Amino acid sequence: MGTMVTEQLTDQASDELADFDTLTGRYQRELMAHCYRMSGSVHEAEDLVQETFLRAWKASASFQGRSSVRTWLYKIATNVCLTNLEGRPRRPLPAGLGTADSVAGDALEQDAEIPWLEPIPDTAVEVAERDTIRLAFVAALQHLPARQRAVLILRDVLRWSAAETAAALDTTAAAVNSALQRAHAQLDDRGLTPDTVEQDLDDAQQLMLDAYLEAFWAKDVDRIVKLLQYDATWDMPPFLNHYRGAENIGELIERQCPGGSHDMPMLRTVANGQPAFGLYMRQPEGHFEPFHMQVLSLAGSKVRHVTAFFGAEHFRRFGLPERLEADWQPDLAPAG
């Protein structure tokens, strides 16, 4: 009976592998999430997923059905990622560089040579738990050596057993358990743990985000400050500077953000399971062009952290317009 069941499962897997377009559609977005967690880069993750499917297609005839097709694909993807990460630097956010907080008015220091962590559109990934794609968690993963990163993701995110993880990485269960322990210890030492995340924004948070959009449109710095948690933090790759404290952030926006009232419209999106805005800046000709993309972390009805990613490529990746016309007006919530 056991042999018959195994043969039946193998036949089902063979049928699944034979329809490669359907296979790709079924697993594309969850493998994208996996490769993004490993690499911290959206464009690298896209390439890694394609390489995974290419290797799977080439090896499909030799698939023996010892695991599900899904598990087999994750094993391939993990090893593709590990090969890709050999000799590559980690992808940090500015606050993860270990430098001191900046004060508004300090000169901005830019480093375009650092391979910065990138935000990812929610539409590009499929995850069982949204906190496993949060910027804070993915940034925390970047502090781990690649194999420890892989072990932590396979064990803690995908819930694989030590034996399954060991088989995927061609090692022993004891080595897996040791690597997981070291990974946990390193994240604990750095205080780098995944934040909890609300599955859905409540009404108060939605109203707060409406007010946040309106405050930037008016460049009402006092109102922006009131919407921030008192010890809120702000960073903005590729600039090395990072800031702490609502008043300090408000002064940063007042002094170093070039727009004035009605110069900074924002369009809503979602990145890494978090509310996000594409912020545009009015140009001398009157129209608006992409300035930066803000990914927000909330604490109740306050903004706890903002990462502002500079670069028009983020707008394109999220499907946001490359230009807003001069007469564009935000859809503001009615007063009262």
Side-chain angles (χ1 to χ4, degrees), residues 205-314:
Q205 289 172 323
Q206 294 284 10
L207 289 172
M208 184 274 292
L209 292 174
D210 289 342
Y212 188 81
L213 181 154
E214 293 171 15
F216 267 90
W217 177 240
K219 199 176 183 181
D220 185 340
V221 175
D222 289 341
R223 192 177 187 192
I224 293 172
V225 168
K226 290 176 183 177
L227 296 170
L228 301 174
Q229 188 169 275
Y230 75 96
D231 60 349
T233 50
W234 178 291
D235 55 11
M236 45 188 190
F239 296 98
L240 301 175
N241 309 66
H242 51 96
Y243 304 83
R244 181 176 299 275
E247 295 290 343
N248 190 30
I249 294 168
E251 193 170 347
L252 168 73
I253 296 168
E254 180 69 54
R255 288 188 179 195
Q256 294 180 281
C257 190
S261 177
H262 295 180
D263 285 340
M264 296 185 290
M266 298 201 294
L267 297 183
R268 299 173 187 271
T269 186
V270 183
N272 296 78
Q274 300 168 235
F277 293 97
L279 185 148
Y280 293 75
M281 189 65 65
R282 191 183 295 277
Q283 302 302 301
E285 300 81 3
H287 69 282
F288 304 93
E289 292 185 1
F291 187 62
H292 66 223
M293 173 166 288
Q294 296 185 16
V295 182
L296 278 59
S297 176
L298 308 184
S301 57
K302 296 282 188 177
V303 177
R304 175 176 55 194
H305 178 75
V306 176
T307 300
F309 293 91
F310 282 79
E313 69 273 11
H314 301 301

Side-chain angles (χ1 to χ4, degrees), residues 62-304:
S62 61
F63 178 74
Q64 297 178 351
R66 293 174 181 170
S67 68
S68 68
V69 170
R70 179 177 183 269
T71 298
W72 182 62
L73 288 172
Y74 269 101
K75 177 179 178 179
I76 296 172
T78 301
N79 285 283
V80 166
C81 290
L82 289 173
T83 299
N84 177 71
L85 290 169
E86 289 178 3
R88 292 194 176 216
R90 64 186 179 89
R91 287 183 172 269
L93 290 175
L97 298 176
T99 55
D101 294 339
S102 297
V103 176
D106 289 350
L108 294 177
E109 299 180 58
Q110 183 173 354
D111 193 334
E113 299 301 316
I114 295 176
W116 296 104
L117 180 65
E118 299 172 350
I120 192 167
D122 271 31
T123 54
V125 295
E126 180 179 324
V127 296
E129 299 170 330
R130 289 173 65 191
D131 60 341
T132 67
I133 206 71
R134 296 268 286 183
L135 273 177
F137 182 57
V138 179
L141 291 174
Q142 300 303 303
H143 289 267
L144 300 175
R147 286 185 70 84
Q148 285 186 23
R149 198 182 306 172
V151 166
L152 187 141
I153 292 169
L154 294 176
R155 295 283 280 118
D156 288 2
V157 176
L158 298 180
R159 314 296 187 192
W160 285 19
S161 68
E164 289 172 320
T165 303
L169 299 177
D170 194 22
T171 187
T172 66
V176 164
N177 289 332
S178 176
L180 183 62
Q181 186 176 14
R182 293 197 304 274
H184 285 163
Q186 186 167 345
L187 294 190
D188 289 345
D189 286 346
R190 290 176 175 269
L192 298 169
T193 56
D195 292 344
T196 56
V197 58
E198 298 289 341
Q199 290 300 315
D200 296 295
L201 297 176
D202 61 30
D203 290 344
Q205 289 172 323
Q206 294 284 10
L207 289 172
M208 184 274 292
L209 292 174
D210 289 342
Y212 188 81
L213 181 154
E214 293 171 15
F216 267 90
W217 177 240
K219 199 176 183 181
D220 185 340
V221 175
D222 289 341
R223 192 177 187 192
I224 293 172
V225 168
K226 290 176 183 177
L227 296 170
L228 301 174
Q229 188 169 275
Y230 75 96
D231 60 349
T233 50
W234 178 291
D235 55 11
M236 45 188 190
F239 296 98
L240 301 175
N241 309 66
H242 51 96
Y243 304 83
R244 181 176 299 275
E247 295 290 343
N248 190 30
I249 294 168
E251 193 170 347
L252 168 73
I253 296 168
E254 180 69 54
R255 288 188 179 195
Q256 294 180 281
C257 190
S261 177
H262 295 180
D263 285 340
M264 296 185 290
M266 298 201 294
L267 297 183
R268 299 173 187 271
T269 186
V270 183
N272 296 78
Q274 300 168 235
F277 293 97
L279 185 148
Y280 293 75
M281 189 65 65
R282 191 183 295 277
Q283 302 302 301
E285 300 81 3
H287 69 282
F288 304 93
E289 292 185 1
F291 187 62
H292 66 223
M293 173 166 288
Q294 296 185 16
V295 182
L296 278 59
S297 176
L298 308 184
S301 57
K302 296 282 188 177
V303 177
R304 175 176 55 194

Side-chain angles (χ1 to χ4, degrees), residues 16-86:
E16 189 173 12
L17 289 171
D19 188 353
F20 222 74
D21 288 341
T22 300
L23 182 78
T24 302
R26 181 175 299 155
Y27 296 108
Q28 174 89 24
R29 293 174 66 238
E30 60 176 288
L31 288 175
M32 183 69 181
H34 182 60
C35 293
Y36 171 71
R37 293 187 193 101
M38 285 291 295
S39 67
S41 165
V42 180
H43 71 271
E44 282 185 21
E46 290 171 342
D47 291 342
L48 293 167
V49 171
Q50 293 307 309
E51 177 64 19
T52 296
F53 283 122
L54 178 61
R55 292 192 188 185
W57 178 72
K58 290 180 177 179
S60 59
S62 61
F63 178 74
Q64 297 178 351
R66 293 174 181 170
S67 68
S68 68
V69 170
R70 179 177 183 269
T71 298
W72 182 62
L73 288 172
Y74 269 101
K75 177 179 178 179
I76 296 172
T78 301
N79 285 283
V80 166
C81 290
L82 289 173
T83 299
N84 177 71
L85 290 169
E86 289 178 3

